[in-house]
Amino acid sequence: MKFNKNQLQKYRQQALTIDETLDLAGMAQARFENTILALSPLQVTGQIHYVDHDDLLLHAHIVGQVTVPSSRSLAPVELAVDMTIDERYIEEATRLDDFEETDAVFVLENDTLNVDEAILDNIVAALPLQILTPEEVENETLPAGKDWHVISEEAFENEKKAAADQQLDPRLAKLDDFFKE
């Protein structure tokens, strides 16, 4: 869904209501090929309306399913998408300083509001950093290979403490002092 600002002029007094099912799977694979493996059709409800200074306000609720790779094994993991986005679109980049850094404010590109891109960007931004398959959650065994293995932060800290606690052989104490100089 793309809306030109001229198209939205007729919705100055009353908001444009959105109630659509969007199939953005192709666009998601093209833009985020390594992040999104599959995307179900998304149910999108919301509004686009004008606010002060001719700014556009997008309020949308998105429901669907996204399949992403596990952060441990790259196996596909299906996650539910149920989110609400609120974004403001302005015409002039110079007005960005009028808003807080935490505000979702964007400059309209070519006087066009691309709702599809906004939805995909928000879905990707909301993905957790650690995504595990149900088997990986149940099984605490971490990946390993020939001459390597993954350890938890806790195990790493324990190994560091154990190495620091090891006493230096008294016969090599003089050599230790030698290298410190």
Side-chain angles (χ1 to χ4, degrees), residues 3-67:
F3 297 100
N4 192 303
K5 192 159 183 183
N6 292 336
Q7 291 175 301
L8 297 171
Q9 291 289 343
K10 60 184 172 185
Y11 296 101
R12 280 188 170 282
Q13 303 303 318
Q14 187 174 0
L16 168 65
T17 302
I18 301 169
D19 189 359
E20 300 274 335
T21 300
L22 300 177
D23 185 6
L24 303 178
M27 185 178 182
Q29 299 248 296
R31 289 188 65 211
F32 303 105
E33 65 182 286
N34 295 326
T35 305
I36 296 179
L37 302 176
L39 184 66
S40 72
L42 301 170
Q43 181 61 41
V44 180
T45 56
Q47 298 180 340
I48 301 173
H49 59 90
Y50 273 93
V51 290
D52 53 327
H53 301 291
D54 283 345
D55 296 350
L56 289 170
L57 194 63
L58 168 65
H59 173 79
H61 182 79
I62 300 113
V63 177
Q65 297 285 331
V66 62
T67 304

Side-chain angles (χ1 to χ4, degrees), residues 14 27 42 60 65 70 83 85 101 106 111 118 123 133 144-145 165:
Q14 187 174 0
M27 185 178 182
L42 301 170
Q65 297 285 331
S70 162
M83 64 186 331
I85 60 173
E101 283 185 31
F106 303 95
D111 285 338
I123 289 173
T133 64
D165 290 344

Side-chain angles (χ1 to χ4, degrees), residues 15-147:
L16 168 65
T17 302
I18 301 169
D19 189 359
E20 300 274 335
T21 300
L22 300 177
D23 185 6
L24 303 178
M27 185 178 182
Q29 299 248 296
R31 289 188 65 211
F32 303 105
E33 65 182 286
N34 295 326
T35 305
I36 296 179
L37 302 176
L39 184 66
S40 72
L42 301 170
Q43 181 61 41
V44 180
T45 56
Q47 298 180 340
I48 301 173
H49 59 90
Y50 273 93
V51 290
D52 53 327
H53 301 291
D54 283 345
D55 296 350
L56 289 170
L57 194 63
L58 168 65
H59 173 79
H61 182 79
I62 300 113
V63 177
Q65 297 285 331
V66 62
T67 304
V68 295
S70 162
S71 55
R72 187 176 292 169
S73 66
L74 300 180
V77 179
E78 194 170 286
L79 299 175
V81 174
D82 188 357
M83 64 186 331
T84 301
I85 60 173
D86 288 299
E87 296 181 344
R88 179 183 291 249
Y89 293 87
I90 60 176
E91 289 184 1
E92 302 163 9
T94 56
R95 290 196 44 235
L96 285 172
D97 294 335
D98 297 344
F99 300 95
E100 298 291 324
E101 283 185 31
T102 56
D103 292 340
V105 180
F106 303 95
V107 178
L108 279 177
E109 294 178 18
N110 302 323
D111 285 338
T112 302
L113 173 57
N114 191 334
V115 177
D116 297 346
E117 284 184 5
I119 290 170
L120 286 177
D121 291 344
N122 279 280
I123 289 173
V124 170
L127 291 174
L129 292 176
Q130 185 178 42
I131 302 167
L132 302 174
T133 64
E135 296 82 26
E136 291 170 339
V137 171
E138 290 177 15
N139 186 2
E140 292 187 22
T141 306
L142 297 174
K146 184 178 179 182
D147 299 329

Side-chain angles (χ1 to χ4, degrees), residues 146-178:
K146 184 178 179 182
D147 299 329
W148 68 272
H149 65 283
V150 177
I151 60 174
S152 67
E153 286 185 44
E154 182 179 329
F156 176 72
E157 291 298 325
N158 291 339
E159 284 181 12
K160 256 181 28 180
K161 285 180 185 177
D165 290 344
Q166 284 182 342
Q167 293 289 337
L168 184 62
D169 187 342
R171 296 172 290 179
L172 300 175
K174 293 262 186 202
L175 280 175
D176 188 42
D177 292 339
F178 176 77

